[in-house]
Amino acid sequence: SAGLAFGQSVEKEKETLVVREITVNEGVGTGNPSELKRVLGTLKGELKTSLQKKFNILSRDLKAKNEEIAVSGDVETKAAKYILVTTVTGFTDGSATNPGEAGIAFTRTIKLFGTAEILKLNLETFANTPFSASVHKGKMEIAGIAHDENFGDELVEQAPKEAANQIATSVFYSISPPKVTDVTKGVVTIDWGEGFIAKGDKLEVFALKMKENADPVEISVGFVEINRVNPKNSKGVI
């Protein structure tokens, strides 16, 4: 369940987003350096592909001092409003065996987690969201048959793809959340289409309530379940 605003959608050019190189906390993946390298490569590629649906991407490894210079003197970077900082805080690639009468049950599990922080150009935090991807595969092996050393290799691709989707979705909702553009006889039209929303998604709708001598506040006005997804918009029922 996620929130969306009740208002008007205006077709506009893509915003520019600075995407810093993915950082990895010290000690993460020391037992599986080659697998972690593959995971990071996939995560970087998938994240860029997903974010390009809504943003023009500037891929920069901007360190703290350089960011201050970029804000004041880099014309291209100044076109952006936000910087995405992705940090991997954990990675595990583990296997387990469980002997039984029918054979040996073998499982492989890969977990990848961390944080996706969105900064304003003055380096203030705009949003901070954790991500966590866990994928696994299992099979039965008959005693006496050599174990497949490459078993579950596809998980190395699946885990970062899932993480990239989580990060991209959180960025979309934080910077450019979906809006309700029309309500007709209980059918709600939302300005997000294919690739951003899925049939069956349940969304909470918020509207701004004006308050005298105070800033407006968001209030929940109901829930919508998506039942049709079009290229540029979606339909849902209240």
Side-chain angles (χ1 to χ4, degrees), residues 206-212 214-219:
F206 295 89
L208 286 179
K209 181 178 180 180
M210 306 307 293
K211 299 184 70 176
E212 188 175 354
D215 292 334
V217 295
E218 283 190 341
I219 59 169

Side-chain angles (χ1 to χ4, degrees), residues 7-27:
Q8 291 187 334
S9 175
V10 179
E11 191 73 23
K12 59 181 180 179
E13 294 182 0
K14 291 181 179 180
E15 289 190 40
T16 299
L17 176 69
V18 176
V19 179
R20 280 186 43 178
E21 289 294 322
I22 298 169
T23 58
V24 182
N25 280 2
E26 186 177 354

Side-chain angles (χ1 to χ4, degrees), residues 120-177:
K120 297 180 182 179
L121 280 193
N122 62 5
L123 304 186
E124 289 182 2
T125 297
F126 177 72
N128 195 326
T129 307
F131 64 87
S132 177
S134 179
V135 294
H136 69 277
K137 184 178 182 180
K139 72 170 183 177
M140 291 295 296
E141 293 188 345
I142 300 174
I145 296 180
H147 172 63
D148 179 8
E149 296 296 332
N150 296 320
F151 169 69
D153 265 7
E154 65 272 23
L155 301 181
V156 180
E157 299 290 323
Q158 292 175 8
K161 285 182 179 180
E162 182 179 319
N165 181 62
Q166 291 180 23
I167 296 168
T169 300
S170 69
V171 172
F172 295 155
Y173 271 103
S174 297
I175 297 177
S176 182

Side-chain angles (χ1 to χ4, degrees), residues 18-228:
V18 176
V19 179
R20 280 186 43 178
E21 289 294 322
I22 298 169
T23 58
V24 182
N25 280 2
E26 186 177 354
V28 172
T30 52
N32 306 88
S34 60
E35 298 291 47
L36 178 60
K37 184 177 180 179
R38 289 175 58 193
V39 164
L40 293 177
T42 300
L43 178 60
K44 179 179 179 179
E46 290 292 326
L47 188 55
K48 183 176 181 179
T49 299
S50 296
L51 291 173
Q52 282 177 330
K53 295 176 183 178
K54 277 192 174 292
F55 301 99
N56 292 316
I57 303 301
L58 287 179
S59 299
R60 300 279 181 88
D61 184 13
L62 300 175
K63 304 304 180 184
K65 291 183 179 179
N66 289 338
E67 282 174 340
E68 295 178 6
I69 295 173
V71 172
S72 62
D74 189 327
V75 176
E76 189 178 25
T77 303
K78 288 182 71 173
K81 294 181 180 178
Y82 302 100
I83 300 168
L84 175 63
V85 180
T86 302
T87 304
V88 173
T89 59
F91 169 74
T92 59
D93 180 1
S95 59
T97 58
N98 186 17
E101 293 182 1
I104 300 175
F106 188 88
T107 60
R108 183 178 180 184
T109 303
I110 292 181
K111 296 180 180 181
L112 177 69
F113 45 95
T115 59
E117 185 176 18
I118 303 172
L119 304 175
K120 297 180 182 179
L121 280 193
N122 62 5
L123 304 186
E124 289 182 2
T125 297
F126 177 72
N128 195 326
T129 307
F131 64 87
S132 177
S134 179
V135 294
H136 69 277
K137 184 178 182 180
K139 72 170 183 177
M140 291 295 296
E141 293 188 345
I142 300 174
I145 296 180
H147 172 63
D148 179 8
E149 296 296 332
N150 296 320
F151 169 69
D153 265 7
E154 65 272 23
L155 301 181
V156 180
E157 299 290 323
Q158 292 175 8
K161 285 182 179 180
E162 182 179 319
N165 181 62
Q166 291 180 23
I167 296 168
T169 300
S170 69
V171 172
F172 295 155
Y173 271 103
S174 297
I175 297 177
S176 182
K179 292 182 175 62
V180 173
T181 58
D182 182 68
V183 182
T184 304
K185 296 181 180 179
V187 177
V188 177
T189 301
I190 296 167
D191 70 344
W192 275 19
E194 293 175 355
F196 302 103
I197 205 164
K199 185 177 179 180
D201 282 354
K202 295 178 177 65
L203 308 175
E204 186 172 10
V205 185
F206 295 89
L208 286 179
K209 181 178 180 180
M210 306 307 293
K211 299 184 70 176
E212 188 175 354
N213 300 323
D215 292 334
V217 295
E218 283 190 341
I219 59 169
S220 175
V221 295
F223 292 83
V224 170
E225 181 172 349
I226 303 300
N227 61 5
R228 181 179 176 182

